[in-house]
Amino acid sequence: MNPHKATILIADDDDDIRLALELLLMAESYKIIEASNAKEVIVQAGRYQPDLILLDMNFSRDTTSGQEGLDILSQLKPYNIPVILMTAWGSIELAVNGVKQGASDFIEKPWNKIKLLNSIKQQLSFARLKDEHQGYRQLLAQEDSKPWVCQSKSMANIEQLVNQIAPTDANVLILGENGTGKSLLAERIHQLSNRQSSPLITVNMAAIPENLFESELFGHQKGAFTDAKQNRVGRFQLADKGSLFFDEIGSLPLSLQPKLLRVLETGQYEVLGASQTQTTNVRLISATNADLNQLVANNEFRQDLLYRLNTLVITIPPLRERLEDIQPLAENFITQFCVKYHKGNLVLNQDAIEKLKQHNWPGNIRELSHSIERAVLLATSLEISAQQLLLDIADTGSNAMVLQPLEQAERQLIEKAMSVSSGQVIEAAKLLDISRNALYRRLEKFDIKYES
Ligand SMILES: Nc1ncnc2c1ncn2[C@@H]1O[C@H](COP(=O)(O)OP(=O)(O)OP(=O)(O)O)[C@@H](O)[C@H]1O
Ligand SMILES: [Mg+2]
């Protein structure tokens, strides 16, 4: 398919906009079909199977939520047609949501012609590649394989330790703040162990209702209790010859701890409703961000249970304490998200790298991944700048935020956005995800200086 002969569906309720787009795209020899309401978009997509759809986010004129666009987007999913969202000025957040939910790209109205044509060209050639080349599938598959970064000294030490202990059957307790990579490390230990060909079964201890705990872990037989309509296989049996990962072990209620302790001490358990005793053959890996020693001191966690779990302890340091890992991690995420969102090869500029190293990362690697995902989505050139990382705004988020009168907080956020965007009202409004006029009104109200 020659991309210039491609058929494009223009979906917008505004006649003038459809006409303007039609003229622009016909001049580039695209074939055009149109839809002026939500229902028509789906009908036209089904009838003509266009190569690409330009989709407005808000069909009814009085709405700006974009929910309608997102609904249509989800209905278009089965067609597997690239969709470029057209968003009203200042609704970046909405566009980002749309792309996360499957749109290929977004373009702001009023559009920049060159940008729009480039995006169309790029999405059409990606779609072609996807259809034609097996290689592309391999590239997509890379998305699923998770790279392991251990550049810093502390992570290199952990890596060495993991290589040593993974093949043993010793129980491992992984400690670390949220998002430091505990779950990924548990997977890694399993993969490097002699049990890799058997399953790794995860049990989130915070998520099991108290009354189902035994049934989840040990299984039950039909009729063992009122709701036991079928036999159920427990997690210990599912993980047989493999590994069992107890995530968030610190959240296990005290009342349930003896039930777990018994099986860890004796290696034996009974399926609920059955008389035969089973013997476990699992390797235990646990993880928590809680201070288990403190929990023991507070009588919230049993010491004897802790001793069963912590044969080996690995503490993953927070990201702010391993600066050498930040850049390679960020680059990995960039590669990953560029593939996912069909972007070219983006790079971080020097300021962005510095900014990443200065940030405190309360959410650790997960926060870094979200920040990079956003920056990739918002990138307008091949370089990601410090500003696009939006870390200054994030700083005023949950961690740094103190309770204060709402109006005062609003003023602070606006001042911060203005400062991050060097006084550019348009940029600041984007960061705050409000319209330019809404920001002007507030600047006046709080008597904040700006360049008109
Ligand atoms: N060393 C690493 N190299 C590359 N990516 C990593 C590394 N460690 C963690 N990640 C990535 O960071 C993200 C968070 O990791 P993970 O979910 O394992 O953290 P966690 O400590 O289990 O978080 P939580 O406390 O919320 O359970 C994941 O996307 C993971 O793939
Ligand atoms: Mg986890």
Side-chain angles (χ1 to χ4, degrees), residues 278-317:
Q278 310 286 328
T279 304
T280 70
N281 175 5
V282 297
R283 198 270 182 87
L284 266 189
I285 308 172
S286 327
T288 182
N289 56 12
D291 180 346
L292 288 182
N293 288 320
Q294 189 58 48
L295 292 183
V296 169
N298 296 348
N299 291 324
E300 289 167 44
F301 203 89
R302 293 179 63 123
Q303 183 142 43
D304 43 9
L305 179 56
L306 178 57
Y307 284 151
R308 289 281 156 192
L309 300 170
N310 70 358
T311 316
L312 291 162
V313 179
I314 300 180
T315 304
I316 309 186

Side-chain angles (χ1 to χ4, degrees), residues 334-406:
I334 291 179
T335 311
Q336 214 169 300
F337 291 121
C338 282
V339 171
K340 181 168 176 191
Y341 296 127
H342 303 170
K343 296 279 183 167
N345 291 326
L346 299 181
V347 290
L348 293 161
N349 72 18
Q350 204 50 45
D351 283 353
I353 294 171
E354 279 313 306
K355 190 99 189 173
L356 290 176
K357 290 187 176 161
Q358 282 159 14
H359 187 63
N360 193 39
W361 301 114
N364 293 292
I365 305 181
R366 183 168 304 104
E367 183 189 356
L368 175 64
S369 136
H370 288 158
S371 166
I372 297 288
E373 181 171 14
R374 263 190 85 103
V376 167
L377 281 169
L378 297 179
T380 45
S381 70
L382 287 181
E383 270 200 358
I384 294 178
S385 66
Q387 195 185 320
Q388 279 161 338
L389 295 165
L390 298 181
L391 294 177
D392 294 301
I393 294 291
D395 268 349
T396 61
S398 55
N399 266 19
M401 204 76 169
V402 283
L403 271 180
Q404 56 182 321
L406 194 56

